[in-house]
Structures are given as structure tokens and as C-alpha cells.
Amino acid sequence: SSFIIRNMTSLRFEVVFLFALSVLACVSARKNFDCQVFEVDTQFDNSQVEHDHGPKWHCFPEPEASGERYELEEIPDDIIDEVKGGGKWIHIQGPFVNPAGKIPPGAEISLAARERLDQGGRRTIRNIGQSSVLVVRVTFLDSAPTSSAAEIGDSVFGDAGDPVNLVSQYAACSKGQLTFSKANGSNIVEGVLDVSVPENIAAKDRYTAADAAEDAAIALVGSIGQFDHVMYCLPPGLSGWIAYGYYNWRRTVFNDEWCTYVSAQMHEFGHNLNLRHSGENVVVHADGSQTNAYADQTGMMGYSYSQDDTPVMCFNPVKSYQLGWFDDCIIDVTDLSVTTQRKLVGTADYQPGACAQDDAVVVRVVTGQTLDVYVGFNKATGSNAGTVEKRDVVTITEGSLMETSDLVAALAVPGESHTYGSSFVVKFCALEGGKPVVGVARIGEDPCPPGCSSDADCDDALF
């Protein structure tokens, strides 16, 4: 895509435009090339349609230096498990890529030689530590973002007093284990880069608009790969969608004001962190599509909300387990021949390094099937005070690290339980000191043995 910086002379525009056209001509003729492949998931404003059919596959021949991108209509079954999650290099060999940037069915796709030699350089976005964030505010000829660069920066970094934002909420949910810093560099002001694209956004779609924005950003800052996360704030003009993010990669893209809403920020950055969606009573259809894939409103990987600072919440037990922020307060139940009990601690009450022996943020029951069972306490306080549903109850969620999670049950009062076929039962045994005591036992065994609340009382794998 062509691009210019504001206030360029018309002569420079002509030179850049002709150069971009020549590059595009070369790009459209690509064949027999390597590219790095990532999954991308779009959230729509009615939370249906495309996302129910799962993510799309995009590949980038030069992901550090260009917005050049191709859409893959299919990934061969023999490599899909290896490339899922993003970041693998693949090799594409004929037929020619069409000018629309799509790899048509019939193209030969395989792992690139660099992957077979273990030289792919796959990069995993960090869940713990400090990561840099570049915010790119994008103006097209026919449209500009509603918010100023300063306003967007405040909504992301909180510099001017925005009380709940991307930086503050991830820091709160992770107990300070994941923090974001403002990108620095030429033309970047307080983490925000303003770019102009000399085309009409009306002539683009949500993907090609972001490609053009990335080329414009690269012209100003050099390699885009120097930043851990890059969020593009596109102007109005492309209706029907909220935002999208790539799994295990840096790019997120937002439709105008959704760039300033904390739930959308948290959700799309969650995809960067390789988090899948959070559903409730998910229905999987014969064609692989899903309904209710966003319906879990206990955390940020469900629906997003058109509100600047709310809801204040974190993630469900599957995501909490995956993120690694509570590893010293997690238990994996792998042996159902003994009863297991734990006192559940809400994520907001957890303190790193201070988990009591009989406490757990997440109890994971390893089923040996595709989906495991994750039990947690959705306590509505602190960083999770605004959780939208199932407040202050025990939640039971099925999931795996690479699939949409499914909220299947909630236990509100002691005595309630949820049974898994002929295998095991999860029961809310008691409430002690504000903490729900839950028991897990195979069918036929009591998950809440009488008087079993300490190591001296019973032998049950609790302490």
C-alpha cells in the first residue's frame, strides 16, 4: 500500500506512490516463498458471524519490515497442529498468488526448511515481565480517529488520569507480573505514533487498512519488530466489527473508539498472549462453527463492552491457569482414586508467594480427554470487582490451551455439585473464612468427607 507523511510535497507523494505500485506489482507475483503464519480472530459488534467459524490464517513474508500479508484459505492437516498458536514459518509453492493477496486452494503448503532445521526463530509473547507497546493512530484521506493522540494514549497508558486502562488492568490482574511500557523512538510521542495514509479507508477492508497503516508506521520508525505489541487505532469507515488480534504475535487492530475501551484492549491483547475465547454452554456445529463462543462474561475473553473504564474484571480459571501468574497456587488433580479438597482464593485476593498450603486459585482436573476441567472462585472484588456474571460463586469451566473454553456450571452455596458422567464430581463443601471449600472425587466417593477440613482430620490429598 502507498503512504506519505503529513505535509509531504506533491512531488514526493508521486515518487512514493509510483514506488509503492512497483512493489505491489512484484508482491502480487510471489510464488515459492516462505512466510510466517499467524491466526487472527475478529470480534464483531454483534458478536456473531465470522468468529463462530474460528480464526483466519494470515502469513507475512517479511513480518519485521513490511505490512505485506497473505490470507490462507486452508492449512494442510499434516501441519496444522504445529502451526496453530502462531509464529511458525511455512513454505508456499504455487500456484501464483492472486492480486487480492489470497493463497488459493491447491497451493502446496509445508513447514519451511528453517522450521525443519529448528531455525524458525519462533517468538512467544511473554506473559510475565515488561513488554513495550506502540500505539499507532491512523488517519486516512476520508476519515480520522475520533480521539486525539493524547486521548488515546491516556486510555492505554493512563498518563492523564484515566483510572482503568490497558496498563493498569493487566498490572492489577497479574499482581504486577505483566507490565507494559510506552514505546520509544523517532516520531513517537508518549507511546503514540501518528501516521497518515493517502488513500480512502472506504476503499479498504479491516485487514488491508491495517496493512497500509503498518507500512506507514515502518516508514517512520523502521522495523516494527522492535516493539512487543503494536496496536493500530483505525478511524471510522469500516462498519460491523470491533477489533481483532493475532495469536502469539504483536498486532492488534481496533475500530475507532474501541481503541480506548479497556475490555477490548484486554481481550485483543489476550489473543497476543495466546488466549482463546471464553464461551458459555458452547455449541459446536457439524461444520466446526460455534455459538455462544463469547458468552462467558466472568472475564475479559468473552464479550467486549463499549465503555471506557468498565467492566473491571480479569480472566476465567482456564485463562488464569494458562497465563502463569498463579503457578504457586494451582493444583492439578491427576489421581481420582483419592479425594482432593482446596479452599479457593479469588484472583484479586491472591498474593504472589503467599499461597497457603490448602488454598488454590485454580483446581484443574486432568480428564485425559480433549478438554480438562478448571474450578475457580469468581470473587467480585479488587481487580475483578466488575465481573459481569456469576459473581462470588464457584465456577466450573472446561477447556484446553488451544480451544474456546466453556463455562458449564456455577456452584453458589455449599452442598451444590456438578457431576461429570460416570467419572467424577465437583462439590461445594463449605465456606470457611470467606473461601469456598471444594472437593473433587470419583463417582461413588464423598468429595466432602465429614470433618475433613485439615490435614489432621483426614487423608485426602488436600494438605
Side-chain angles (χ1 to χ4, degrees):
S1 299
S2 57
F3 56 85
I4 58 171
I5 306 170
R6 285 199 184 109
N7 301 321
M8 277 187 172
T9 65
S10 60
L11 176 60
R12 187 177 179 189
F13 168 76
E14 291 173 5
V15 171
V16 173
F17 182 74
L18 290 173
F19 171 76
L21 285 179
S22 66
V23 170
L24 184 60
C26 293
V27 165
S28 64
R30 271 191 188 269
K31 69 171 184 176
N32 303 337
F33 63 98
D34 288 357
C35 61
Q36 197 170 18
V37 65
F38 298 93
E39 293 176 273
V40 58
D41 229 320
T42 299
Q43 186 173 185
F44 289 80
D45 56 12
N46 59 1
S47 296
Q48 58 185 9
V49 191
E50 181 180 344
H51 72 257
D52 284 341
H53 292 272
K56 291 182 175 292
W57 299 93
H58 291 177
C59 70
F60 298 80
E62 301 176 85
E64 307 299 312
S66 170
E68 181 186 348
R69 174 188 56 82
Y70 298 94
E71 297 181 21
L72 300 168
E73 295 192 20
E74 59 186 14
I75 295 287
D77 291 341
D78 62 333
I79 66 170
I80 192 168
D81 287 341
E82 292 192 68
V83 303
K84 194 168 187 179
K88 287 285 188 178
W89 284 86
I90 61 174
H91 182 75
I92 299 172
Q93 181 162 343
F96 283 98
V97 175
N98 63 42
K102 296 182 185 292
I103 309 296
E108 295 182 23
I109 300 174
S110 60
L111 284 180
R114 69 185 83 185
E115 292 291 355
R116 294 195 300 272
L117 296 172
D118 197 26
Q119 297 174 349
R122 180 171 181 163
R123 181 181 184 187
T124 299
I125 300 296
R126 65 176 65 92
N127 297 341
I128 295 175
Q130 185 175 82
S131 297
S132 61
V133 177
L134 174 66
V135 181
V136 183
R137 180 180 181 270
V138 189
T139 298
F140 283 78
L141 290 177
D142 57 345
S143 187
T146 301
S147 295
S148 68
E151 290 168 335
I152 292 173
D154 185 35
S155 293
V156 175
F157 301 110
D159 289 337
D162 188 297
V164 184
N165 51 73
L166 173 78
V167 172
S168 68
Q169 191 60 14
Y170 262 106
C173 289
S174 70
K175 297 296 180 178
Q177 295 176 83
L178 177 61
T179 58
F180 295 116
S181 61
K182 292 181 243 181
N184 293 306
S186 178
N187 300 301
I188 300 171
V189 178
E190 297 297 328
V192 181
L193 176 71
D194 247 317
V195 302
S196 293
V197 178
E199 301 176 72
N200 291 328
I201 195 170
K204 300 286 187 181
D205 61 33
R206 62 185 179 276
Y207 298 132
T208 56
D211 297 338
E214 181 146 305
D215 283 337
I218 289 170
L220 292 172
V221 301
S223 172
I224 208 74
Q226 64 185 292
F227 310 109
D228 296 307
H229 297 270
V230 182
M231 55 187 298
Y232 292 94
C233 301
L234 299 183
L238 300 173
S239 63
W241 64 286
I242 289 172
Y244 62 88
Y246 288 81
Y247 291 99
N248 198 27
W249 200 41
R250 60 177 171 265
R251 186 191 284 195
T252 54
V253 182
F254 299 83
N255 192 349
D256 197 34
E257 286 295 84
W258 286 97
C259 201
T260 67
Y261 300 150
V262 67
S263 60
Q265 296 169 352
M266 295 283 289
H267 183 107
E268 302 309 330
F269 269 61
H271 287 322
N272 285 177
L273 300 176
N274 228 3
L275 301 183
R276 304 280 158 166
H277 289 140
S278 296
E280 182 174 359
N281 298 320
V282 175
V283 178
V284 181
H285 302 287
D287 64 355
S289 64
Q290 300 177 344
T291 54
N292 300 328
Y294 281 59
D296 179 354
Q297 298 179 77
T298 65
M300 291 295 196
M301 295 312 294
Y303 300 122
S304 291
Y305 307 82
S306 54
Q307 303 160 16
D308 185 7
D309 300 323
T310 56
V312 176
M313 58 183 179
C314 295
F315 300 98
N316 74 14
V318 178
K319 277 57 179 179
S320 294
Y321 183 100
Q322 181 177 354
L323 286 163
W325 300 334
F326 313 103
D327 281 357
D328 66 335
C329 214
I330 297 280
I331 180 172
D332 290 314
V333 178
T334 59
D335 183 3
L336 291 171
S337 67
V338 293
T339 297
T340 300
Q341 286 189 350
R342 279 293 189 273
K343 296 176 183 177
L344 295 180
V345 178
T347 57
D349 287 339
Y350 165 82
Q351 294 299 324
C355 182
Q357 186 179 8
D358 57 340
D359 286 352
V361 171
V362 179
V363 175
R364 173 186 176 228
V365 184
V366 180
T367 66
Q369 306 299 315
T370 302
L371 303 179
D372 292 325
V373 174
Y374 298 76
V375 185
F377 179 31
N378 189 37
K379 189 174 180 180
T381 188
S383 58
N384 199 52
T387 181
V388 176
E389 69 165 332
K390 309 291 191 296
R391 297 168 59 86
D392 297 315
V393 302
V394 175
T395 60
I396 302 175
T397 310
E398 297 177 356
S400 73
L401 303 188
M402 302 300 288
E403 303 292 341
T404 298
S405 63
D406 189 6
L407 175 57
V408 296
L411 310 180
V413 295
E416 292 187 340
S417 63
H418 186 73
T419 301
Y420 282 84
S422 59
S423 181
F424 64 94
V425 60
V426 178
K427 187 173 182 178
F428 186 167
C429 300
L431 190 65
E432 296 185 7
K435 300 176 183 178
V437 179
V438 297
V440 179
R442 63 186 176 187
I443 299 299
E445 301 291 337
D446 186 0
C448 307
C452 183
S453 61
S454 71
D455 192 22
D457 292 334
C458 58
D459 181 12
D460 65 351
L462 172 56
F463 304 106

